[in-house]
Amino acid sequence: MDFITTLRQTGLIAILRGIPPEQVEAVGAALYEQGFHIIEVPLNSPEPLLSISRLRRILPSDCWVGAGTVMTVTQLHDVAQSGGQLIISPHTDPVLIEETKRAGLISLPGAATPGEAFSALAKGADAVKQFPAEAIPPVVVKAWRAVIPAAIPLLPVGGITPQAISDYRAAGASGFGLGGALYQPGMTAEQVASRAADFVTAWRTSSPLNT
């Protein structure tokens, strides 16, 4: 299954910021069991490349694994060598996007304005991470969606809770990046699974924008 199909079906990206490698396999397996098929390990986590390689080794092929907070081309290639498939960044860097696509990876750059989003898409981005979502409420997502084609996924990231998903999705959000409300360092796999179940329920019971 290709990435966009997976994203449209499952809708949720787990952001495991701060997770140590010795815990990542149990947490990753718990997330997959709950229905998460896209998992990100930010590069400002402890030994993130090791965590990425461990996730890629133990999770099924229909689960996409990648890195967040990717800022340089060197980091991009390190992620690729570790088995990562997704390059997620907080900003729109044309060089990084182009190199990501040349490497055959999925590009999910961050954008805070429609202008940044269109710049990212012009360079080949596969989807747009709307960041920070705290500054992009549903009414703003709806305004973006009025000019950005429905085929382009918009992914609010930052402060998203299960309660927020319905309004964002009705406004045109295609999926969500979930950080501290899903995982925080020190949580057990069971605790993460419980929170994951709440997000999956919120996703499945929400309705997308009619386009």
Side-chain angles (χ1 to χ4, degrees), residues 18 28 37 41 48 55 67 78 83-84 93 99 105 112-113 115 122 125-126 135 154 164 183 192 197 210:
H37 287 192
V41 178
L55 285 173
D78 288 342
D93 181 335
E99 190 63 26
L105 305 180
T113 67
D126 295 280
L154 295 178
Y183 170 81
V192 177
N210 293 321

Side-chain angles (χ1 to χ4, degrees), residues 86-108:
L86 314 173
I87 300 299
I88 306 170
S89 58
H91 65 321
T92 299
D93 181 335
V95 173
L96 189 59
I97 296 168
E98 290 178 328
E99 190 63 26
T100 297
K101 298 313 298 177
R102 272 194 288 269
L105 305 180
I106 300 297
S107 174
L108 304 177

Side-chain angles (χ1 to χ4, degrees), residues 46 60 64 75 81 92 153 169 191:
W64 294 78
Q75 290 176 333
Q81 291 176 1
T92 299
R169 198 173 183 204
Q191 289 172 321

Side-chain angles (χ1 to χ4, degrees), residues 31-152:
L31 285 166
Y32 183 83
E33 185 175 341
Q34 291 298 326
F36 278 73
H37 287 192
I38 307 172
I39 300 178
E40 164 195 340
V41 178
L43 291 185
N44 54 3
S45 304
E47 299 185 87
L49 299 176
L50 179 56
S51 289
I52 289 168
S53 66
R54 287 183 175 181
L55 285 173
R56 185 63 285 157
R57 185 177 68 248
I58 66 111
L59 292 173
S61 60
D62 65 347
C63 186
W64 294 78
V65 177
T69 320
V70 180
M71 307 293 287
T72 70
V73 170
T74 297
Q75 290 176 333
L76 180 164
H77 290 301
D78 288 342
V79 171
Q81 291 176 1
S82 300
Q85 303 153 286
L86 314 173
I87 300 299
I88 306 170
S89 58
H91 65 321
T92 299
D93 181 335
V95 173
L96 189 59
I97 296 168
E98 290 178 328
E99 190 63 26
T100 297
K101 298 313 298 177
R102 272 194 288 269
L105 305 180
I106 300 297
S107 174
L108 304 177
T113 67
E116 290 179 349
F118 280 114
S119 294
L121 294 169
K123 294 300 181 179
D126 295 280
V128 176
K129 167 183 168 180
Q130 294 182 295
F131 180 79
E134 292 94 335
I136 307 174
V139 65
V140 177
V141 174
K142 187 174 182 179
W144 282 41
R145 187 49 86 195
V147 295
I148 294 177
I152 302 300

Side-chain angles (χ1 to χ4, degrees), residues 1-21:
M1 186 182 300
D2 64 53
F3 175 76
I4 297 300
T5 301
T6 299
L7 177 64
R8 292 200 179 281
Q9 289 183 357
T10 62
L12 306 173
I13 302 173
I15 303 172
L16 303 182
R17 189 178 305 278
I19 194 165

Side-chain angles (χ1 to χ4, degrees), residues 152-185:
I152 302 300
L154 295 178
L155 310 171
V157 178
I160 299 297
T161 64
Q163 295 74 27
I165 283 179
S166 180
D167 287 345
Y168 269 102
R169 198 173 183 204
S174 310
F176 303 88
L178 310 173
L182 174 66
Y183 170 81
Q184 294 182 8

